[in-house]
């Protein structure tokens, strides 16, 4: 029997409820919907952490993100991963990613890959758009010079707190002013922050051509739905949307990023922002269709396991939030799409119980009939999935509140947020100040109202006990050697930056 290859696609910020095969009403994923018809579709795939830097240790190394300590980010040097296991098994391996600095070699993600292309420059910078930054001044960089307007503005900024209600008028006027004076780009392409999916797929096709018939592991990380939302113009047309001018697109993104507006005023442009985000998904879909077509043509698709998922979702004011800052573990952030196509395995319904992405790497290795590294914390669910058998599982997700710029190690030591999610109940623990919220996702799927302390006491106790065990195991079973290696890498990098 010939060895199956593995193609794993992760899409940044892709919410589970914005893809057709999970019931979304807009045509974001016609191609993936057609694949889903012959694939295992997971109704409740849950990330082990959010955002990117708290999610990928589980996806690639089957390890909880905070297992090596809150101060350790990324994969430890020599940590076994999906890529290292496949490389050892003789696979040609490549990672092609759309310039996300948190899955770069700085954080150990290149391990196990023959080719690691991340489209990042020499010194990757953090992604400030992972949070709602000081949006009033967004797009105002071009007016921060030394002209009289800037001097006047700086003076106004100083007196801004004393303006009282007039300050709101000032903020609005200043925002509108910045929009007018910032030079307009001549296309959405010029505004885009990350390489679009067509660039990544071109690179992927070139690499696939170069390796001939060898079994391969290809990991693609796509950023099209990530903010700032500047989709390809062709993708808007595919979605049936009217063209959006670069001026308008930038205006919408700057407006959405404002920190001086409440939910009600932000909501005015929510639908337009979602339309831009959706077009990003559509472009991913169209480009993946092209990649699969090329694999079909070279007769490799029938020997290729295909997995598609996301590192986390995105907030569109569901709970008044935007983007995907680590502070909450709402469903719109932790629930992601997951489809798995395995040649030779007949499609079956997948259990509704949560499937943690902690189990994805072992499940993929098992589906490819390869052994699973003993260091993986997750387990293969392939036997149950391929038979359509029921299984009982829960998913733990965790992050560090307020760590929006993990490039600064001191930001990583905030308080933990942890959720335990079962099919029906979800417990969220905030550690500072200490509080827990229990949700009944059957009665309240949008998590609008936590259950009262008196309700469902046995469930609350059970989930609290799972959380307690998780924390205890995390401390007791910590791989101190891996932790030290990761810390040493960090110290070396910091030293290099201070004394280049
Ligand atoms: Zn991400």
């Amino acid at each position: 029997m010939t060895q199956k290859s593995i193609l794993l696609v992760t899409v940044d910020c892709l919410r589970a409820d914005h893809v057709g095969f999970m019931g979304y009403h807009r045509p974001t994923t016609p191609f993936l919907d057609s694949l889903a018809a012959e694939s295992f579709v997971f109704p409740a795939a849950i990330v082990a952490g959010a955002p990117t830097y708290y999610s990928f240790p589980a996806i690639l190394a089957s390890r909880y993100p905070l297992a090596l300590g809150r101060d350790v980010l990324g994969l430890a040097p020599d940590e076994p991963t999906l890529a290292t296991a496949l490389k050892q098994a003789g696979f040609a391996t490549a990672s092609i990613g759309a310039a996300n600095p948190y899955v770069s070699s700085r954080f150990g993600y290149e391990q196990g890959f023959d080719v690691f292309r991340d489209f990042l420059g020499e010194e990757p910078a953090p992604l400030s758009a992972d949070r709602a930054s000081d949006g009033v001044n967004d797009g105002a960089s071009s007016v921060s010079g030394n002209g009289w307007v800037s001097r006047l503005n700086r003076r106004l900024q100083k007196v801004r707190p004393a303006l009282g209600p007039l300050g709101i008028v000032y903020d609005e006027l200043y925002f509108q002013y910045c929009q007018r004076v910032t030079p307009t780009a001549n296309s959405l392409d010029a505004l885009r922050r990350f390489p679009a999916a067509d660039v990544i797929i071109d690179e992927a096709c070139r690499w696939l051509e170069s390796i001939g018939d060898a079994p391969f592991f290809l990991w693609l990380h796509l950023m099209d739905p990530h903010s700032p939302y500047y989709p390809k113009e062709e993708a808007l047309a595919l979605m049936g949307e009217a063209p959006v001018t670069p001026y308008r697109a930038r205006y919408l993104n700057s407006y959405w990023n404002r920190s001086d507006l409440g939910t009600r005023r932000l909501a005015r442009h929510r639908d337009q922002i979602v339309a831009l985000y959706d077009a990003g998904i559509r472009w991913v879909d169209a480009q993946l269709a092209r990649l699969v077509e090329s694999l079909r043509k070279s007769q490799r698709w029938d020997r290729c396991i295909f997995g598609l998922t996301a590192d986390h979702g995105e907030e569109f004011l569901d709970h008044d939030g935007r983007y995907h800052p680590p502070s909450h573990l709402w469903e719109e952030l932790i629930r992601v799409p997951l489809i798995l196509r395995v040649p030779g395995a007949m499609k079956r319904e997948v259990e509704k119980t949560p499937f943690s992405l902690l189990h994805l790497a072992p499940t993929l290795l098992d589906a490819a009939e390869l052994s699973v590294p003993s260091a993986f914390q997750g387990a293969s669910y392939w036997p149950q999935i391929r038979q359509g058998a029921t299984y009982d599982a829960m998913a733990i997700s965790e992050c560090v509140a307020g760590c929006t710029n993990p490039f600064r190690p001191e930001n990583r030591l905030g308080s933990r947020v942890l959720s335990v999610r079962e099919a029906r109940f979800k417990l969220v623990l905030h550690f500072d100040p200490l509080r827990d919220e229990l949700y009944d996702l059957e009665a309240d799927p949008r998590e609008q109202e936590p259950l009262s302390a008196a309700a469902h006491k046995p469930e609350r106790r059970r989930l609290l006990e799972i959380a307690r065990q998780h924390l205890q195991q995390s401390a007791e079973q910590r791989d101190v050697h891996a932790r030290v290696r990761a810390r040493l890498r960090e110290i070396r990098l910091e030293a290099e930056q201070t004394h280049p």
Side-chain angles (χ1 to χ4, degrees), residues 75-342:
L75 307 178
D78 297 326
E79 183 169 4
T81 69
L82 185 57
T84 61
L86 290 166
K87 188 179 167 69
Q88 266 167 27
F91 282 50
T93 56
S95 158
I96 304 169
N100 187 322
Y102 305 130
V103 284
S104 60
S105 53
R106 178 191 172 117
F107 297 115
Y109 284 94
E110 85 295 357
Q111 297 174 76
F113 290 107
D114 303 328
V115 170
F116 188 80
R117 181 89 208 272
D118 60 13
F119 288 89
L120 287 163
E122 284 289 289
E123 277 191 34
L127 299 176
S128 59
D130 273 358
R131 65 190 179 93
S133 61
D134 190 8
V136 183
N137 299 318
D138 188 61
S141 49
S142 62
V143 290
S144 59
N146 284 316
W148 68 269
V149 179
S150 311
R151 285 197 299 275
L152 173 66
N153 176 56
R154 278 197 288 273
R155 239 171 262 157
L156 278 169
Q157 284 284 15
K158 268 189 203 147
V159 296
R160 162 73 181 79
L163 290 175
L166 269 181
I168 296 168
V169 178
Y170 165 79
D171 285 345
E172 187 60 33
L173 287 174
Y174 183 57
F175 173 75
Q176 299 296 343
Y177 160 76
C178 289
Q179 293 306 304
R180 295 242 166 81
V181 298
T182 308
T184 307
N186 53 16
S187 70
L188 295 186
D189 290 343
L191 289 163
R192 191 167 309 115
R193 177 111 177 249
F194 309 101
D198 51 299
V199 178
I200 305 301
I201 299 305
D202 282 349
E203 190 79 10
C205 289
R206 269 194 292 275
W207 180 74
L208 285 166
E209 250 170 55
S210 76
I211 56 164
D213 229 13
F216 65 84
F217 170 49
L218 174 60
W219 168 40
L220 305 177
H221 185 62
L222 304 172
M223 293 288 279
D224 300 66
H226 196 287
S227 64
Y229 311 107
Y230 295 119
K232 293 289 283 188
E233 277 146 27
E234 296 97 308
L236 284 164
L238 286 170
M239 286 294 288
E241 296 282 345
V244 178
T245 64
Y247 177 84
R248 181 70 185 157
R250 205 200 56 217
Y251 178 92
L252 288 169
N253 274 287
S254 303
Y255 186 91
W256 189 248
N257 198 32
R258 286 174 70 174
S259 55
D260 61 318
L261 299 184
T263 304
R264 202 172 48 83
R265 287 187 63 200
L266 284 169
R268 273 185 209 164
H269 291 312
R270 181 192 173 277
D271 290 352
Q272 290 152 296
I273 283 289
V274 170
L276 296 174
Y277 166 84
D278 283 348
I281 303 171
R282 180 64 185 251
W283 194 243
V284 166
D285 186 81
Q287 297 307 310
L288 287 177
R290 193 158 69 82
L291 176 65
V292 169
E293 185 50 34
S294 128
L295 284 166
R296 278 201 178 109
K297 270 195 192 139
S298 57
Q299 264 120 51
R300 285 184 283 185
W301 182 239
D302 288 340
R303 283 177 285 131
C304 184
I305 294 172
F306 173 78
L308 175 127
T309 190
D311 56 345
H312 52 82
E314 187 80 335
E315 291 184 78
F316 293 110
L317 305 178
D318 314 66
H319 292 90
D320 299 334
R322 291 161 281 169
Y323 311 110
H324 45 271
S327 302
H328 294 285
L329 294 165
W330 302 118
E331 289 291 282
E332 54 268 23
L333 287 173
I334 66 167
R335 190 160 163 243
V336 289
L338 173 60
I339 58 175
L340 189 58
R341 173 196 176 270
V342 180

